[in-house]
Amino acid sequence: MPAQTPPSTPTSYVALGDSFTEGLNDPDPDGGFAGWADRLARLLAETRPRTDSGHYDFRYANLAVRGRLLDQIAAEQVPAAARMEPDLVSFTAGGNDILRPGSDPDEVAERFEAAAVRLRESAGTVLICTGFDTRDTPVLRHLRGKIATYNAHLRAIADRNDLAVADIWALRAVRDRQAWSEDRLHLSSEGHQRVALLAARALGLPTENPDAPWPDAPVHTPAELRRENLHWAREHLLPWVGRRLRGESSGDLVEAKRPELLPLR
């Protein structure tokens, strides 16, 4: 599928989405989260010269907030990004919708395309990401068919609207346990880095191989694996399920970490 041709040296980038783009479980030195979008912004900024003030000639905003559904992103983040008129927007949304019981990936995709079309009118390049292959993910593996259907729609949307695509479904590196943090729902720091490299390649930047082999991981005994699974279920799975049963979101009291399009140091 032909990808959209981005400006040779983007000078501004706005990231939209949920916890994936906010960067959960990839800690930054300031006590917050970095994530693949921040890492992509750094890769893009490094193609630009520095100004006299020491900043890169590059501006970046990250409006993503954990737990956000597609309609919330379309209502809150898309208009804000459109007003900024950046060279590049990354738009990842719909994953939380697909995880909900009874959701229809066909209908979610229709709403996604409507938001993407609006972004396409105001941004130089729009980058989207396909969903993860969950075949090896506890609890989420039974949603693999819905995610694959949604991904097929995303690729068609990209083709119709000339969007760039980072195909995470095909990124074998994120099927490895080392790509995931302790909660098994969000990427580790190295997992975020692999996605950032993939996204950079989708935009035409030369990078390291995002699918490079992982270093050998420690081998666990069956007893150790059982203890690890029990700990994960108690500390992460049950609270996650409980929030959904109560209709709560982890992002109810969270605001965007970088709401303004500002120079990147």
Side-chain angles (χ1 to χ4, degrees), residues 6-261:
S8 57
T9 53
T11 62
S12 54
Y13 166 36
V14 179
L16 312 182
D18 50 31
S19 60
F20 169 58
T21 301
E22 184 186 347
L24 254 62
N25 296 359
D26 179 17
D28 68 18
D30 297 326
F33 294 109
W36 72 271
D38 286 21
R39 292 169 178 269
L40 174 62
R42 177 66 56 182
L43 292 171
L44 293 168
E46 288 173 352
T47 69
R48 303 290 304 167
R50 290 181 183 268
T51 65
D52 293 339
S53 64
H55 296 89
Y56 289 105
D57 180 24
F58 183 84
R59 295 177 300 148
Y60 171 54
N62 190 320
L63 310 183
V65 176
R66 68 197 71 174
R68 288 297 192 263
L69 298 169
L70 172 56
D71 286 347
Q72 293 173 309
I73 295 169
E76 300 165 5
Q77 300 176 27
V78 168
R83 287 191 295 270
M84 296 178 189
E85 298 185 336
D87 291 340
L88 171 67
V89 170
S90 63
F91 178 41
T92 57
N96 288 325
D97 299 74
I98 296 298
L99 294 179
R100 295 202 163 196
S103 62
D104 180 357
D106 301 336
E107 186 272 334
V108 176
E110 290 180 5
R111 292 187 280 121
F112 182 96
E113 183 165 18
V117 167
R118 184 173 181 185
L119 286 171
R120 189 67 183 86
E121 294 170 350
S122 57
T125 298
V126 177
L127 170 71
I128 66 173
C129 300
T130 62
F132 293 90
D133 186 348
T134 58
R135 67 179 180 181
D136 299 318
T137 307
V139 181
L140 301 183
R141 62 170 57 97
H142 72 282
L143 297 173
R144 191 180 185 219
K146 287 176 66 175
I147 296 169
T149 300
Y150 189 53
N151 283 347
H153 282 300
L154 292 180
R155 294 186 187 96
I157 290 168
D159 197 21
R160 285 193 294 269
N161 297 284
D162 195 24
L163 314 181
V165 181
D167 190 1
I168 297 175
W169 178 276
L171 184 62
R172 291 168 295 180
V174 294
R175 298 176 191 169
D176 192 285
R177 180 67 184 84
Q178 296 177 76
W180 297 90
S181 63
E182 187 180 42
D183 70 6
R184 305 184 189 180
L185 297 171
H186 300 98
L187 293 170
S188 64
S189 294
E190 183 58 28
H192 278 286
Q193 178 66 10
R194 298 297 184 102
V195 172
L197 294 173
L198 179 73
R201 285 196 169 195
L203 296 171
L205 272 66
T207 68
E208 303 169 28
N209 180 11
D211 247 340
W214 291 91
D216 291 337
V219 177
H220 296 286
T221 67
E224 290 172 333
L225 289 174
R226 284 195 295 272
R227 285 195 297 271
E228 183 179 289
N229 289 337
L230 287 172
H231 173 78
W232 168 75
R234 182 175 62 251
E235 297 297 323
H236 301 288
L237 176 61
L238 291 179
W240 180 75
V241 172
R243 285 196 300 272
R244 272 144 187 78
L245 292 175
R246 295 189 298 271
E248 298 175 357
S249 168
S250 58
D252 284 344
L253 302 177
V254 178
E255 297 181 351
K257 64 180 182 180
R258 193 179 173 93
E260 303 295 333
L261 194 58

